């Protein structure tokens, strides 16, 4: 009898262990949303993601809606247009540090990852994150991957420059484009054209996508504009901050990098930085 009881106990223990392993495998994909689980990452918008997100119903895949959300949330500011990589890694090259299944990509966006990837679940919810997942997973890996693999020994491979059609270079040299002529006529800077196309400084953050990471009076992913103004009040830092916005950087406000903005004209950079510094 004792032997029988012992065998039954062993079988029960084995079954319990198997169930525990199964449960652990199912939940491994999803990070806990407790303070212990997300203390090493940035909480986008200051809104903590809810636990158990993978248990929620999943909407039908909608890559088009995901593409719109990817742009409106300024995901391309870190991951590049088409998710091919920029400051952040490519999401279209087939390389996944934390796993490439739909659930694993969802977890990376919803709960974030250490050292830079904010947790967006509290801001856009489960449906929004699934939209992004459907868009990201719809991308085809490019034939040439210019990013660096996170695996040891990974090397960057520069994308080859496209060759112009035969005779195109000579034709361009012989016949300057209208854009080149316009640039020549305006002294090479195009200041008047840029000034005409510009907007008031308070509207520039929205125009150039800054509002995806910043708000005037609160932290989103990056600091609030008033917080920046308070930090540098009374200091002659306009030129320094213009360079920071143009070239990007990290370390002053936390782990998330400031994406470079080389596309913004100098006049607008100075205008928006001066406006931010003037806030009370």
């Amino acid at each position: 009898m004792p032997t029988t009881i012992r065998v039954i106990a062993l079988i029960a223990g084995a079954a319990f262990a198997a169930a525990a392993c199964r449960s652990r495998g199912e939940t491994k994909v999803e990070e806990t949303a407790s303070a212990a689980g997300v203390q090493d990452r940035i909480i986008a918008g200051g809104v903590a993601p809810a636990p158990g997100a993978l248990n929620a119903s999943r909407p039908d895949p909608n890559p088009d809606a995901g593409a719109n959300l990817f742009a409106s949330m300024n995901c391309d500011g870190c991951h590049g247009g088409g998710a091919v990589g920029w400051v952040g890694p490519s999401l279209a090259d087939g390389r996944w540090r934390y796993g490439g299944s739909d659930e694993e990509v969802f977890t990376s966006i919803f709960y974030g990852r250490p050292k830079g990837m904010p947790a967006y679940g509290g801001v856009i919810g489960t449906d929004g994150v699934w939209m992004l997942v459907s868009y990201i997973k719809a991308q085809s890996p490019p034939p040439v991957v210019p990013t660096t693999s996170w695996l040891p020994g990974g090397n960057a491979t520069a994308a080859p420059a496209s060759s112009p059609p035969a005779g195109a270079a000579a034709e361009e040299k012989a016949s300057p484009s209208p854009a080149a002529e316009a640039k020549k006529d305006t002294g090479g800077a195009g200041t008047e054209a840029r000034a005409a196309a510009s907007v008031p400084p308070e509207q520039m953050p929205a125009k150039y996508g800054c509002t995806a990471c910043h708000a005037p009076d609160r932290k989103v992913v990056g600091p609030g504009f008033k917080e920046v103004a308070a930090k540098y009040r009374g200091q002659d830092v306009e030129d320094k901050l213009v360079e920071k916005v143009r070239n990007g950087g990290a370390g002053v406000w936390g782990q998330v990098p400031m994406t470079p903005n080389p596309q913004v004209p100098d006049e607008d950079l100075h205008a928006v930085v001066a406006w931010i510094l003037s806030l009370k």
Side-chain angles (χ1 to χ4, degrees):
M1 181 65 72
T3 301
T4 303
I5 294 175
R6 191 178 299 113
V7 170
I8 293 173
L10 288 172
I11 293 173
F16 178 81
C21 288
R22 233 180 359 258
S23 174
R24 184 179 181 83
E26 290 169 356
T27 58
K28 182 180 179 181
V29 153
E30 183 173 4
E31 297 282 345
T32 177
S34 66
V38 295
Q39 64 183 359
D40 59 349
R41 61 209 70 180
I42 301 299
I43 306 300
V47 183
L54 283 176
N55 296 327
S57 60
R58 178 175 176 175
D60 293 332
N62 192 338
D64 291 336
N68 293 333
L69 187 59
F70 190 87
S72 65
M73 291 299 295
N74 201 32
C75 304
D76 51 0
C78 280
H79 295 286
V84 298
W86 182 236
V87 175
S90 170
L91 305 176
D93 62 4
R95 298 167 173 168
W96 300 101
R97 183 165 193 171
Y98 296 102
S101 71
D102 288 0
E103 291 76 14
E104 287 164 331
V105 176
F106 175 95
T107 298
S108 292
I109 300 171
F110 197 92
Y111 293 113
R113 297 293 183 183
K115 299 181 180 179
M117 178 61 194
Y120 281 98
V123 176
I124 61 177
T126 55
D127 285 0
V129 174
W130 280 123
M131 288 179 191
L132 292 176
V133 172
S134 66
Y135 166 69
I136 292 168
K137 297 306 290 291
Q139 307 308 303
S140 299
V144 176
V145 179
T147 55
T148 303
S149 172
W150 66 271
L151 293 169
N155 295 315
T157 303
S162 57
S163 300
E171 182 180 349
E172 182 179 353
K173 187 174 182 179
S175 303
S177 67
E181 288 294 336
K183 184 176 181 181
K184 181 178 179 181
D185 292 341
T186 57
T191 303
E192 293 179 3
R194 287 201 299 270
S198 190
V199 297
E202 63 270 18
Q203 297 179 19
M204 289 179 185
K207 175 181 178 181
Y208 294 115
C210 310
T211 51
C213 291
H214 302 275
D217 55 358
R218 61 185 175 86
K219 178 178 180 178
V220 183
V221 175
F225 293 142
K226 290 185 178 180
E227 188 179 2
V228 174
K231 180 179 180 66
Y232 294 108
R233 185 159 292 127
Q235 302 179 45
D236 183 14
V237 293
E238 181 177 324
D239 290 341
K240 171 186 173 181
L241 295 184
V242 164
E243 288 301 310
K244 180 80 174 281
V245 176
R246 179 189 293 115
N247 300 322
V252 176
W253 299 97
Q255 297 176 334
V256 179
M258 169 75 182
T259 58
N261 295 274
Q263 79 284 1
V264 182
D266 283 351
E267 294 89 343
D268 286 4
L269 281 173
H270 279 275
V272 72
V273 168
W275 171 73
I276 292 170
L277 292 174
S278 72
L279 296 176
K280 303 296 184 182

